[in-house]
Structures are given as C-alpha cells and as structure tokens.
Amino acid sequence: MTDGVRLIVFGRQGAGKGTQCVRLAERYGVPHISTGDMLRAAAAEGTEFGLRAKEFMDAGQLLPDDIMLGVIEERLGRPDAVGGWLLDGFPRTPGQADGLTELLGDKGADLAVDLDVSEEVVVGRISGRRVCASCGTIYSVAAPPADGWKCDKCGGDVVQRADDTEESVRKRLAAYNEQTAPLLAWFAERDMLVTVDGVGDPDEISRRIAAAVDPRLG
Ligand code: AMP
C-alpha cells in the first residue's frame, strides 16, 4: 500500500490533540506518530537519549531541530509508515517544516488539521490533565478513572505529566505561538489547512474533524 493518507495535526498543548489523533489514525488506518509520545517512551526506558530529552521536556523546552529531524526520519522510514501516516507534534518550528519538506519531496502531506482551542481554555484543561504512566491513556480531574487513580484500561498509576506544571505550560504555549502557529499560514496559503473548533464533547469533535477532513481526501 502506497497511497494512504498523510496528515499533520496541529493544536495547542491541551487542545485534545492526542485523543483525536488516536481516533483519526484508526479511521484512516495509518500509524499515529506522536513525537511527544516517542520522547516520553525513550525517557521511560532511561536511554541516554531519553534522559536528555526528558530534561528538555520537563523544562517545557523544544528539543533541537536536527535531533527531531533525525527522530522523524528514522520513524517515517519504518515499514508501517510507507502507506501513510498521521503526524502529531511535528513539525513544530519553521526549521522542522523545511526539513520535513526536504525529506518528503513530492510525497508531502495531503492535509493539515488545526484543532483550534483558545489559550485560556487549554491552560485550564492542562492543569487538570492526568495520564496513565503505563499506557498513556488520558484522564482529567473532572473525569478520573473509576477506581481511584488507577488506569481503567491497564491498572497503571494515573499521574500528572511532569511537564504539566504551570510554568512549563506557560513556556510551551509561548513556544507554540512563536514557532508553531506561523506554520499554519504555510498550509493555509497552499489551501491545505482545515481548522476545526476543538471545544466541546470529544465524540462531537471527532465527528467535526471527520466531516471536515473526509471530503478533502476523496
Ligand atoms: P507533546 O506531547 O507534543 O506536548 O510534547 C512534549 C514535549 O516533547 C515538548 O514540550 C517538547 O519538549 C518535546 N517535543 C515533542 N515534539 C517535539 C518537536 N517536534 N520538536 C521539539 N521538541 C518536541
């Protein structure tokens, strides 16, 4: 299979991007490639690279572009990504966007989706966000697991992400506004951007995304 969809999903931290990306990747049968998840997995494994990445993540800082381009080049080169992919959290800077364009050539993305949620709303969401340390399932203070802070799916500990502190969140949102938000213009100029309102019930948002994306991929 060589003609699967190639999607890039943008959205501020806390926009619900992780949840919606899992569903979208399933819908289109492509791997969900989240650079944040990859870095967190490396950090949990305790590799030298992972521990270095953790320092950046805990400080709310982006890793250098050359490192991230190496990570994504290796990931997109794996067999499961030959038939398409969904990128979540990459590209994040103009340098990464240029590097990706160079890497993909004319096999670039089909479409970019911007899951739009205001800064005010995401700050509230992130401070209440909790995540299973074992399998990554996302919960919130308002919608906790059924059994104390143990994951409904795997029984793992449900905790606050180390980089979900207020100071780190503030830094990450500033980085998004300065470095990532301008990338949206690049896709909009090429008529490759769909913007979806990311406020509301997650199922409703999934329907909104599908309604916006499906016709563009036909
Ligand atoms: P995320 O889960 O996408 O919010 O990513 C968590 C953290 O991982 C970010 O705050 C960065 O420290 C790091 N990270 C993830 N993706 C990238 C990227 N494309 N470029 C640089 N750093 C990244």
Side-chain angles (χ1 to χ4, degrees), residues 13-14 17 34-37 39-40 53-65 68 72 88-93 96 129 161 163-164 168 172:
Q13 293 75 17
K17 201 159 44 81
S34 156
T35 45
D37 284 352
L39 297 176
R40 278 185 289 277
K54 189 174 184 317
E55 285 176 22
F56 282 94
M57 290 191 285
D58 287 355
Q61 286 172 0
L62 294 179
L63 275 76
D65 285 349
M68 292 310 301
I72 213 74
D88 166 6
F90 189 97
R92 203 95 149 207
T93 66
Q96 292 179 12
R129 175 161 70 182
R161 252 169 66 170
D163 60 348
D164 278 351
S168 168
R172 285 152 65 206

PDB file of all heavy atoms in Angstrom, residues 13-14 17 34-37 39-40 53-65 68 72 88-93 96 129 161 163-164 168 172, ligand 1:
ATOM      1  N   GLN A  13      -0.983  22.673  23.060  1.00  0.00           N
ATOM      2  CA  GLN A  13      -0.947  21.655  24.097  1.00  0.00           C
ATOM      3  C   GLN A  13      -2.270  21.737  24.858  1.00  0.00           C
ATOM      4  O   GLN A  13      -2.707  22.835  25.210  1.00  0.00           O
ATOM      5  CB  GLN A  13       0.210  21.922  25.071  1.00  0.00           C
ATOM      6  CG  GLN A  13       1.593  21.765  24.466  1.00  0.00           C
ATOM      7  CD  GLN A  13       2.008  22.903  23.552  1.00  0.00           C
ATOM      8  OE1 GLN A  13       1.422  23.974  23.584  1.00  0.00           O
ATOM      9  NE2 GLN A  13       3.007  22.662  22.739  1.00  0.00           N
ATOM     10  N   GLY A  14      -2.903  20.592  25.065  1.00  0.00           N
ATOM     11  CA  GLY A  14      -4.165  20.605  25.807  1.00  0.00           C
ATOM     12  C   GLY A  14      -5.382  20.818  24.931  1.00  0.00           C
ATOM     13  O   GLY A  14      -6.499  20.910  25.424  1.00  0.00           O
ATOM     14  N   LYS A  17      -5.560  17.090  21.209  1.00  0.00           N
ATOM     15  CA  LYS A  17      -4.914  16.569  20.006  1.00  0.00           C
ATOM     16  C   LYS A  17      -4.604  15.064  20.140  1.00  0.00           C
ATOM     17  O   LYS A  17      -4.854  14.297  19.211  1.00  0.00           O
ATOM     18  CB  LYS A  17      -3.613  17.356  19.806  1.00  0.00           C
ATOM     19  CG  LYS A  17      -3.047  17.339  18.432  1.00  0.00           C
ATOM     20  CD  LYS A  17      -2.101  18.521  18.237  1.00  0.00           C
ATOM     21  CE  LYS A  17      -1.149  18.787  19.384  1.00  0.00           C
ATOM     22  NZ  LYS A  17       0.033  17.925  19.385  1.00  0.00           N
ATOM     23  N   SER A  34       3.439  10.306  17.199  1.00  0.00           N
ATOM     24  CA  SER A  34       3.479  11.442  18.125  1.00  0.00           C
ATOM     25  C   SER A  34       4.909  11.579  18.643  1.00  0.00           C
ATOM     26  O   SER A  34       5.405  10.684  19.335  1.00  0.00           O
ATOM     27  CB  SER A  34       2.522  11.182  19.293  1.00  0.00           C
ATOM     28  OG  SER A  34       2.918  11.943  20.427  1.00  0.00           O
ATOM     29  N   THR A  35       5.564  12.673  18.287  1.00  0.00           N
ATOM     30  CA  THR A  35       6.949  12.826  18.745  1.00  0.00           C
ATOM     31  C   THR A  35       6.998  12.940  20.270  1.00  0.00           C
ATOM     32  O   THR A  35       7.920  12.427  20.901  1.00  0.00           O
ATOM     33  CB  THR A  35       7.626  14.044  18.081  1.00  0.00           C
ATOM     34  OG1 THR A  35       6.737  15.153  18.118  1.00  0.00           O
ATOM     35  CG2 THR A  35       8.020  13.730  16.653  1.00  0.00           C
ATOM     36  N   GLY A  36       5.979  13.572  20.875  1.00  0.00           N
ATOM     37  CA  GLY A  36       5.946  13.665  22.341  1.00  0.00           C
ATOM     38  C   GLY A  36       5.886  12.276  22.974  1.00  0.00           C
ATOM     39  O   GLY A  36       6.625  11.972  23.909  1.00  0.00           O
ATOM     40  N   ASP A  37       5.012  11.393  22.429  1.00  0.00           N
ATOM     41  CA  ASP A  37       4.904  10.023  22.956  1.00  0.00           C
ATOM     42  C   ASP A  37       6.221   9.276  22.765  1.00  0.00           C
ATOM     43  O   ASP A  37       6.656   8.526  23.647  1.00  0.00           O
ATOM     44  CB  ASP A  37       3.789   9.240  22.236  1.00  0.00           C
ATOM     45  CG  ASP A  37       2.395   9.638  22.706  1.00  0.00           C
ATOM     46  OD1 ASP A  37       2.286  10.410  23.684  1.00  0.00           O
ATOM     47  OD2 ASP A  37       1.413   9.188  22.089  1.00  0.00           O
ATOM     48  N   LEU A  39       9.236  10.524  22.629  1.00  0.00           N
ATOM     49  CA  LEU A  39      10.251  11.037  23.566  1.00  0.00           C
ATOM     50  C   LEU A  39       9.957  10.562  24.989  1.00  0.00           C
ATOM     51  O   LEU A  39      10.869  10.198  25.736  1.00  0.00           O
ATOM     52  CB  LEU A  39      10.309  12.568  23.513  1.00  0.00           C
ATOM     53  CG  LEU A  39      10.738  13.166  22.168  1.00  0.00           C
ATOM     54  CD1 LEU A  39      10.657  14.690  22.212  1.00  0.00           C
ATOM     55  CD2 LEU A  39      12.144  12.728  21.782  1.00  0.00           C
ATOM     56  N   ARG A  40       8.676  10.551  25.352  1.00  0.00           N
ATOM     57  CA  ARG A  40       8.315  10.073  26.701  1.00  0.00           C
ATOM     58  C   ARG A  40       8.655   8.594  26.860  1.00  0.00           C
ATOM     59  O   ARG A  40       9.117   8.160  27.913  1.00  0.00           O
ATOM     60  CB  ARG A  40       6.831  10.335  26.990  1.00  0.00           C
ATOM     61  CG  ARG A  40       6.561  11.770  27.443  1.00  0.00           C
ATOM     62  CD  ARG A  40       5.112  11.974  27.850  1.00  0.00           C
ATOM     63  NE  ARG A  40       4.216  11.960  26.707  1.00  0.00           N
ATOM     64  CZ  ARG A  40       3.975  12.998  25.920  1.00  0.00           C
ATOM     65  NH1 ARG A  40       4.554  14.152  26.165  1.00  0.00           N
ATOM     66  NH2 ARG A  40       3.157  12.909  24.893  1.00  0.00           N
ATOM     67  N   ALA A  53      16.341  13.977  26.515  1.00  0.00           N
ATOM     68  CA  ALA A  53      15.058  14.512  26.046  1.00  0.00           C
ATOM     69  C   ALA A  53      14.199  14.937  27.231  1.00  0.00           C
ATOM     70  O   ALA A  53      13.524  15.969  27.195  1.00  0.00           O
ATOM     71  CB  ALA A  53      14.331  13.456  25.214  1.00  0.00           C
ATOM     72  N   LYS A  54      14.242  14.158  28.304  1.00  0.00           N
ATOM     73  CA  LYS A  54      13.417  14.444  29.481  1.00  0.00           C
ATOM     74  C   LYS A  54      13.762  15.807  30.083  1.00  0.00           C
ATOM     75  O   LYS A  54      12.902  16.527  30.558  1.00  0.00           O
ATOM     76  CB  LYS A  54      13.591  13.320  30.502  1.00  0.00           C
ATOM     77  CG  LYS A  54      12.614  13.419  31.671  1.00  0.00           C
ATOM     78  CD  LYS A  54      12.724  12.203  32.567  1.00  0.00           C
ATOM     79  CE  LYS A  54      11.695  12.204  33.686  1.00  0.00           C
ATOM     80  NZ  LYS A  54      11.481  13.452  34.378  1.00  0.00           N
ATOM     81  N   GLU A  55      15.057  16.135  30.046  1.00  0.00           N
ATOM     82  CA  GLU A  55      15.460  17.441  30.591  1.00  0.00           C
ATOM     83  C   GLU A  55      14.783  18.576  29.831  1.00  0.00           C
ATOM     84  O   GLU A  55      14.289  19.535  30.416  1.00  0.00           O
ATOM     85  CB  GLU A  55      16.977  17.601  30.515  1.00  0.00           C
ATOM     86  CG  GLU A  55      17.704  16.783  31.567  1.00  0.00           C
ATOM     87  CD  GLU A  55      19.211  16.881  31.424  1.00  0.00           C
ATOM     88  OE1 GLU A  55      19.712  17.851  30.819  1.00  0.00           O
ATOM     89  OE2 GLU A  55      19.890  15.950  31.912  1.00  0.00           O
ATOM     90  N   PHE A  56      14.772  18.463  28.499  1.00  0.00           N
ATOM     91  CA  PHE A  56      14.096  19.486  27.692  1.00  0.00           C
ATOM     92  C   PHE A  56      12.608  19.499  28.000  1.00  0.00           C
ATOM     93  O   PHE A  56      12.006  20.550  28.203  1.00  0.00           O
ATOM     94  CB  PHE A  56      14.286  19.192  26.198  1.00  0.00           C
ATOM     95  CG  PHE A  56      15.631  19.589  25.653  1.00  0.00           C
ATOM     96  CD1 PHE A  56      16.670  18.677  25.584  1.00  0.00           C
ATOM     97  CD2 PHE A  56      15.852  20.884  25.191  1.00  0.00           C
ATOM     98  CE1 PHE A  56      17.908  19.033  25.077  1.00  0.00           C
ATOM     99  CE2 PHE A  56      17.081  21.252  24.676  1.00  0.00           C
ATOM    100  CZ  PHE A  56      18.120  20.332  24.618  1.00  0.00           C
ATOM    101  N   MET A  57      12.013  18.314  28.026  1.00  0.00           N
ATOM    102  CA  MET A  57      10.557  18.229  28.213  1.00  0.00           C
ATOM    103  C   MET A  57      10.135  18.794  29.568  1.00  0.00           C
ATOM    104  O   MET A  57       9.187  19.577  29.645  1.00  0.00           O
ATOM    105  CB  MET A  57      10.092  16.772  28.084  1.00  0.00           C
ATOM    106  CG  MET A  57      10.194  16.257  26.672  1.00  0.00           C
ATOM    107  SD  MET A  57       9.362  14.664  26.452  1.00  0.00           S
ATOM    108  CE  MET A  57      10.503  13.568  27.223  1.00  0.00           C
ATOM    109  N   ASP A  58      10.840  18.405  30.613  1.00  0.00           N
ATOM    110  CA  ASP A  58      10.459  18.881  31.950  1.00  0.00           C
ATOM    111  C   ASP A  58      10.600  20.392  32.062  1.00  0.00           C
ATOM    112  O   ASP A  58       9.896  21.035  32.838  1.00  0.00           O
ATOM    113  CB  ASP A  58      11.301  18.194  33.027  1.00  0.00           C
ATOM    114  CG  ASP A  58      10.894  16.734  33.219  1.00  0.00           C
ATOM    115  OD1 ASP A  58       9.897  16.318  32.580  1.00  0.00           O
ATOM    116  OD2 ASP A  58      11.567  16.017  33.973  1.00  0.00           O
ATOM    117  N   ALA A  59      11.523  20.958  31.286  1.00  0.00           N
ATOM    118  CA  ALA A  59      11.721  22.408  31.322  1.00  0.00           C
ATOM    119  C   ALA A  59      10.755  23.126  30.375  1.00  0.00           C
ATOM    120  O   ALA A  59      10.775  24.355  30.274  1.00  0.00           O
ATOM    121  CB  ALA A  59      13.166  22.738  30.940  1.00  0.00           C
ATOM    122  N   GLY A  60       9.915  22.353  29.654  1.00  0.00           N
ATOM    123  CA  GLY A  60       8.972  22.975  28.723  1.00  0.00           C
ATOM    124  C   GLY A  60       9.658  23.521  27.486  1.00  0.00           C
ATOM    125  O   GLY A  60       9.129  24.400  26.806  1.00  0.00           O
ATOM    126  N   GLN A  61      10.863  22.981  27.178  1.00  0.00           N
ATOM    127  CA  GLN A  61      11.608  23.478  26.008  1.00  0.00           C
ATOM    128  C   GLN A  61      11.554  22.489  24.864  1.00  0.00           C
ATOM    129  O   GLN A  61      11.498  21.280  25.083  1.00  0.00           O
ATOM    130  CB  GLN A  61      13.077  23.677  26.376  1.00  0.00           C
ATOM    131  CG  GLN A  61      13.298  24.900  27.239  1.00  0.00           C
ATOM    132  CD  GLN A  61      14.734  24.965  27.740  1.00  0.00           C
ATOM    133  OE1 GLN A  61      15.555  24.101  27.438  1.00  0.00           O
ATOM    134  NE2 GLN A  61      15.020  25.990  28.512  1.00  0.00           N
ATOM    135  N   LEU A  62      11.631  23.009  23.650  1.00  0.00           N
ATOM    136  CA  LEU A  62      11.683  22.136  22.481  1.00  0.00           C
ATOM    137  C   LEU A  62      13.079  21.550  22.335  1.00  0.00           C
ATOM    138  O   LEU A  62      14.076  22.220  22.621  1.00  0.00           O
ATOM    139  CB  LEU A  62      11.344  22.936  21.215  1.00  0.00           C
ATOM    140  CG  LEU A  62       9.922  23.485  21.113  1.00  0.00           C
ATOM    141  CD1 LEU A  62       9.762  24.270  19.817  1.00  0.00           C
ATOM    142  CD2 LEU A  62       8.890  22.374  21.193  1.00  0.00           C
ATOM    143  N   LEU A  63      13.148  20.300  21.854  1.00  0.00           N
ATOM    144  CA  LEU A  63      14.458  19.722  21.527  1.00  0.00           C
ATOM    145  C   LEU A  63      14.959  20.372  20.233  1.00  0.00           C
ATOM    146  O   LEU A  63      14.161  20.859  19.435  1.00  0.00           O
ATOM    147  CB  LEU A  63      14.340  18.209  21.318  1.00  0.00           C
ATOM    148  CG  LEU A  63      14.418  17.366  22.587  1.00  0.00           C
ATOM    149  CD1 LEU A  63      13.121  17.443  23.374  1.00  0.00           C
ATOM    150  CD2 LEU A  63      14.714  15.905  22.242  1.00  0.00           C
ATOM    151  N   PRO A  64      16.276  20.365  20.023  1.00  0.00           N
ATOM    152  CA  PRO A  64      16.819  20.992  18.813  1.00  0.00           C
ATOM    153  C   PRO A  64      16.282  20.349  17.524  1.00  0.00           C
ATOM    154  O   PRO A  64      16.041  19.136  17.488  1.00  0.00           O
ATOM    155  CB  PRO A  64      18.327  20.745  18.938  1.00  0.00           C
ATOM    156  CG  PRO A  64      18.564  20.508  20.391  1.00  0.00           C
ATOM    157  CD  PRO A  64      17.315  19.859  20.914  1.00  0.00           C
ATOM    158  N   ASP A  65      16.134  21.166  16.486  1.00  0.00           N
ATOM    159  CA  ASP A  65      15.561  20.696  15.222  1.00  0.00           C
ATOM    160  C   ASP A  65      16.325  19.524  14.625  1.00  0.00           C
ATOM    161  O   ASP A  65      15.719  18.586  14.107  1.00  0.00           O
ATOM    162  CB  ASP A  65      15.544  21.844  14.189  1.00  0.00           C
ATOM    163  CG  ASP A  65      14.451  22.861  14.479  1.00  0.00           C
ATOM    164  OD1 ASP A  65      13.586  22.584  15.333  1.00  0.00           O
ATOM    165  OD2 ASP A  65      14.470  23.925  13.835  1.00  0.00           O
ATOM    166  N   MET A  68      15.361  16.328  16.289  1.00  0.00           N
ATOM    167  CA  MET A  68      13.992  15.914  15.977  1.00  0.00           C
ATOM    168  C   MET A  68      13.859  15.438  14.531  1.00  0.00           C
ATOM    169  O   MET A  68      13.103  14.509  14.245  1.00  0.00           O
ATOM    170  CB  MET A  68      13.012  17.061  16.244  1.00  0.00           C
ATOM    171  CG  MET A  68      12.866  17.415  17.709  1.00  0.00           C
ATOM    172  SD  MET A  68      12.548  16.002  18.791  1.00  0.00           S
ATOM    173  CE  MET A  68      11.033  15.339  18.099  1.00  0.00           C
ATOM    174  N   ILE A  72      12.387  11.819  13.346  1.00  0.00           N
ATOM    175  CA  ILE A  72      11.244  11.651  12.426  1.00  0.00           C
ATOM    176  C   ILE A  72      11.675  10.930  11.150  1.00  0.00           C
ATOM    177  O   ILE A  72      10.925  10.134  10.586  1.00  0.00           O
ATOM    178  CB  ILE A  72      10.561  13.022  12.129  1.00  0.00           C
ATOM    179  CG1 ILE A  72       9.062  12.830  11.920  1.00  0.00           C
ATOM    180  CG2 ILE A  72      11.124  13.731  10.951  1.00  0.00           C
ATOM    181  CD1 ILE A  72       8.278  12.558  13.156  1.00  0.00           C
ATOM    182  N   ASP A  88       1.721  13.981  14.768  1.00  0.00           N
ATOM    183  CA  ASP A  88       1.153  14.703  15.911  1.00  0.00           C
ATOM    184  C   ASP A  88       2.324  15.305  16.694  1.00  0.00           C
ATOM    185  O   ASP A  88       3.129  14.576  17.262  1.00  0.00           O
ATOM    186  CB  ASP A  88       0.367  13.672  16.749  1.00  0.00           C
ATOM    187  CG  ASP A  88      -0.014  14.154  18.136  1.00  0.00           C
ATOM    188  OD1 ASP A  88       0.218  15.326  18.458  1.00  0.00           O
ATOM    189  OD2 ASP A  88      -0.560  13.331  18.905  1.00  0.00           O
ATOM    190  N   GLY A  89       2.438  16.632  16.655  1.00  0.00           N
ATOM    191  CA  GLY A  89       3.534  17.270  17.406  1.00  0.00           C
ATOM    192  C   GLY A  89       4.768  17.532  16.566  1.00  0.00           C
ATOM    193  O   GLY A  89       5.794  17.954  17.083  1.00  0.00           O
ATOM    194  N   PHE A  90       4.672  17.294  15.284  1.00  0.00           N
ATOM    195  CA  PHE A  90       5.761  17.543  14.349  1.00  0.00           C
ATOM    196  C   PHE A  90       5.169  17.896  12.988  1.00  0.00           C
ATOM    197  O   PHE A  90       4.249  17.189  12.554  1.00  0.00           O
ATOM    198  CB  PHE A  90       6.661  16.300  14.216  1.00  0.00           C
ATOM    199  CG  PHE A  90       7.914  16.564  13.429  1.00  0.00           C
ATOM    200  CD1 PHE A  90       9.117  16.843  14.068  1.00  0.00           C
ATOM    201  CD2 PHE A  90       7.890  16.544  12.035  1.00  0.00           C
ATOM    202  CE1 PHE A  90      10.262  17.112  13.337  1.00  0.00           C
ATOM    203  CE2 PHE A  90       9.032  16.824  11.310  1.00  0.00           C
ATOM    204  CZ  PHE A  90      10.220  17.098  11.954  1.00  0.00           C
ATOM    205  N   PRO A  91       5.642  18.911  12.282  1.00  0.00           N
ATOM    206  CA  PRO A  91       6.709  19.836  12.649  1.00  0.00           C
ATOM    207  C   PRO A  91       6.227  20.890  13.640  1.00  0.00           C
ATOM    208  O   PRO A  91       5.054  21.201  13.705  1.00  0.00           O
ATOM    209  CB  PRO A  91       7.068  20.482  11.302  1.00  0.00           C
ATOM    210  CG  PRO A  91       5.798  20.459  10.519  1.00  0.00           C
ATOM    211  CD  PRO A  91       5.078  19.211  10.940  1.00  0.00           C
ATOM    212  N   ARG A  92       7.175  21.422  14.364  1.00  0.00           N
ATOM    213  CA  ARG A  92       6.869  22.342  15.453  1.00  0.00           C
ATOM    214  C   ARG A  92       7.547  23.697  15.254  1.00  0.00           C
ATOM    215  O   ARG A  92       7.254  24.637  15.987  1.00  0.00           O
ATOM    216  CB  ARG A  92       7.420  21.683  16.700  1.00  0.00           C
ATOM    217  CG  ARG A  92       6.868  22.063  18.011  1.00  0.00           C
ATOM    218  CD  ARG A  92       5.773  21.128  18.457  1.00  0.00           C
ATOM    219  NE  ARG A  92       5.752  21.014  19.892  1.00  0.00           N
ATOM    220  CZ  ARG A  92       5.307  19.958  20.546  1.00  0.00           C
ATOM    221  NH1 ARG A  92       4.854  18.918  19.892  1.00  0.00           N
ATOM    222  NH2 ARG A  92       5.286  19.949  21.838  1.00  0.00           N
ATOM    223  N   THR A  93       8.499  23.768  14.340  1.00  0.00           N
ATOM    224  CA  THR A  93       9.243  25.013  14.087  1.00  0.00           C
ATOM    225  C   THR A  93       9.416  25.164  12.579  1.00  0.00           C
ATOM    226  O   THR A  93       9.305  24.169  11.840  1.00  0.00           O
ATOM    227  CB  THR A  93      10.654  24.954  14.701  1.00  0.00           C
ATOM    228  OG1 THR A  93      11.399  23.936  14.000  1.00  0.00           O
ATOM    229  CG2 THR A  93      10.643  24.619  16.184  1.00  0.00           C
ATOM    230  N   GLN A  96      11.921  22.651  11.305  1.00  0.00           N
ATOM    231  CA  GLN A  96      11.404  21.284  11.175  1.00  0.00           C
ATOM    232  C   GLN A  96      10.519  21.160   9.936  1.00  0.00           C
ATOM    233  O   GLN A  96      10.534  20.147   9.237  1.00  0.00           O
ATOM    234  CB  GLN A  96      10.613  20.888  12.423  1.00  0.00           C
ATOM    235  CG  GLN A  96      11.490  20.735  13.656  1.00  0.00           C
ATOM    236  CD  GLN A  96      10.698  20.358  14.909  1.00  0.00           C
ATOM    237  OE1 GLN A  96       9.526  19.998  14.845  1.00  0.00           O
ATOM    238  NE2 GLN A  96      11.351  20.447  16.046  1.00  0.00           N
ATOM    239  N   ARG A 129      -5.213  17.939  33.676  1.00  0.00           N
ATOM    240  CA  ARG A 129      -4.940  16.708  32.907  1.00  0.00           C
ATOM    241  C   ARG A 129      -4.161  15.688  33.739  1.00  0.00           C
ATOM    242  O   ARG A 129      -3.232  16.031  34.462  1.00  0.00           O
ATOM    243  CB  ARG A 129      -4.129  17.074  31.663  1.00  0.00           C
ATOM    244  CG  ARG A 129      -3.691  15.872  30.858  1.00  0.00           C
ATOM    245  CD  ARG A 129      -3.319  16.236  29.453  1.00  0.00           C
ATOM    246  NE  ARG A 129      -2.084  17.000  29.338  1.00  0.00           N
ATOM    247  CZ  ARG A 129      -1.604  17.443  28.182  1.00  0.00           C
ATOM    248  NH1 ARG A 129      -2.270  17.236  27.067  1.00  0.00           N
ATOM    249  NH2 ARG A 129      -0.484  18.127  28.144  1.00  0.00           N
ATOM    250  N   ARG A 161       1.457  14.712  34.281  1.00  0.00           N
ATOM    251  CA  ARG A 161       2.684  14.716  33.485  1.00  0.00           C
ATOM    252  C   ARG A 161       3.676  15.691  34.105  1.00  0.00           C
ATOM    253  O   ARG A 161       3.290  16.766  34.535  1.00  0.00           O
ATOM    254  CB  ARG A 161       2.361  15.182  32.058  1.00  0.00           C
ATOM    255  CG  ARG A 161       2.421  14.077  31.040  1.00  0.00           C
ATOM    256  CD  ARG A 161       1.841  14.498  29.719  1.00  0.00           C
ATOM    257  NE  ARG A 161       2.616  15.534  29.051  1.00  0.00           N
ATOM    258  CZ  ARG A 161       2.403  15.918  27.791  1.00  0.00           C
ATOM    259  NH1 ARG A 161       1.472  15.334  27.074  1.00  0.00           N
ATOM    260  NH2 ARG A 161       3.119  16.870  27.248  1.00  0.00           N
ATOM    261  N   ASP A 163       5.638  17.633  32.839  1.00  0.00           N
ATOM    262  CA  ASP A 163       5.718  18.943  32.175  1.00  0.00           C
ATOM    263  C   ASP A 163       4.359  19.647  32.145  1.00  0.00           C
ATOM    264  O   ASP A 163       4.176  20.603  31.411  1.00  0.00           O
ATOM    265  CB  ASP A 163       6.311  18.804  30.766  1.00  0.00           C
ATOM    266  CG  ASP A 163       5.490  17.896  29.862  1.00  0.00           C
ATOM    267  OD1 ASP A 163       4.587  17.189  30.380  1.00  0.00           O
ATOM    268  OD2 ASP A 163       5.740  17.888  28.655  1.00  0.00           O
ATOM    269  N   ASP A 164       3.424  19.225  32.973  1.00  0.00           N
ATOM    270  CA  ASP A 164       2.137  19.917  33.041  1.00  0.00           C
ATOM    271  C   ASP A 164       2.070  20.918  34.201  1.00  0.00           C
ATOM    272  O   ASP A 164       0.993  21.290  34.648  1.00  0.00           O
ATOM    273  CB  ASP A 164       0.975  18.910  33.140  1.00  0.00           C
ATOM    274  CG  ASP A 164       0.580  18.358  31.771  1.00  0.00           C
ATOM    275  OD1 ASP A 164       1.086  18.875  30.751  1.00  0.00           O
ATOM    276  OD2 ASP A 164      -0.228  17.424  31.718  1.00  0.00           O
ATOM    277  N   SER A 168       5.870  25.386  33.118  1.00  0.00           N
ATOM    278  CA  SER A 168       6.200  24.663  31.896  1.00  0.00           C
ATOM    279  C   SER A 168       5.117  24.883  30.833  1.00  0.00           C
ATOM    280  O   SER A 168       5.414  25.092  29.658  1.00  0.00           O
ATOM    281  CB  SER A 168       6.359  23.179  32.240  1.00  0.00           C
ATOM    282  OG  SER A 168       6.408  22.410  31.099  1.00  0.00           O
ATOM    283  N   ARG A 172       5.515  26.408  27.084  1.00  0.00           N
ATOM    284  CA  ARG A 172       5.151  25.629  25.896  1.00  0.00           C
ATOM    285  C   ARG A 172       4.138  26.378  25.041  1.00  0.00           C
ATOM    286  O   ARG A 172       4.196  26.325  23.817  1.00  0.00           O
ATOM    287  CB  ARG A 172       4.619  24.261  26.317  1.00  0.00           C
ATOM    288  CG  ARG A 172       5.752  23.345  26.777  1.00  0.00           C
ATOM    289  CD  ARG A 172       5.287  22.329  27.785  1.00  0.00           C
ATOM    290  NE  ARG A 172       4.341  21.396  27.253  1.00  0.00           N
ATOM    291  CZ  ARG A 172       3.437  20.753  27.985  1.00  0.00           C
ATOM    292  NH1 ARG A 172       3.356  20.973  29.287  1.00  0.00           N
ATOM    293  NH2 ARG A 172       2.625  19.905  27.434  1.00  0.00           N
TER     294      ARG A 172
HETATM  295  P1  AMP B   1       3.859  16.986  23.305  1.00  0.00           P
HETATM  296  O1  AMP B   1       3.411  15.699  23.911  1.00  0.00           O
HETATM  297  O2  AMP B   1       3.666  17.021  21.810  1.00  0.00           O
HETATM  298  O3  AMP B   1       3.268  18.175  24.006  1.00  0.00           O
HETATM  299  O4  AMP B   1       5.454  17.074  23.514  1.00  0.00           O
HETATM  300  C1  AMP B   1       6.006  17.078  24.815  1.00  0.00           C
HETATM  301  C2  AMP B   1       7.406  17.675  24.770  1.00  0.00           C
HETATM  302  O5  AMP B   1       8.257  16.873  23.930  1.00  0.00           O
HETATM  303  C3  AMP B   1       7.510  19.075  24.203  1.00  0.00           C
HETATM  304  O6  AMP B   1       7.223  20.071  25.163  1.00  0.00           O
HETATM  305  C4  AMP B   1       8.982  19.102  23.777  1.00  0.00           C
HETATM  306  O7  AMP B   1       9.843  19.236  24.890  1.00  0.00           O
HETATM  307  C5  AMP B   1       9.166  17.696  23.215  1.00  0.00           C
HETATM  308  N1  AMP B   1       8.809  17.632  21.779  1.00  0.00           N
HETATM  309  C6  AMP B   1       7.798  16.909  21.209  1.00  0.00           C
HETATM  310  N2  AMP B   1       7.760  17.080  19.883  1.00  0.00           N
HETATM  311  C7  AMP B   1       8.766  17.947  19.589  1.00  0.00           C
HETATM  312  C8  AMP B   1       9.227  18.538  18.381  1.00  0.00           C
HETATM  313  N3  AMP B   1       8.644  18.292  17.200  1.00  0.00           N
HETATM  314  N4  AMP B   1      10.285  19.397  18.463  1.00  0.00           N
HETATM  315  C9  AMP B   1      10.894  19.657  19.632  1.00  0.00           C
HETATM  316  N5  AMP B   1      10.504  19.150  20.807  1.00  0.00           N
HETATM  317  C10 AMP B   1       9.440  18.290  20.796  1.00  0.00           C
END
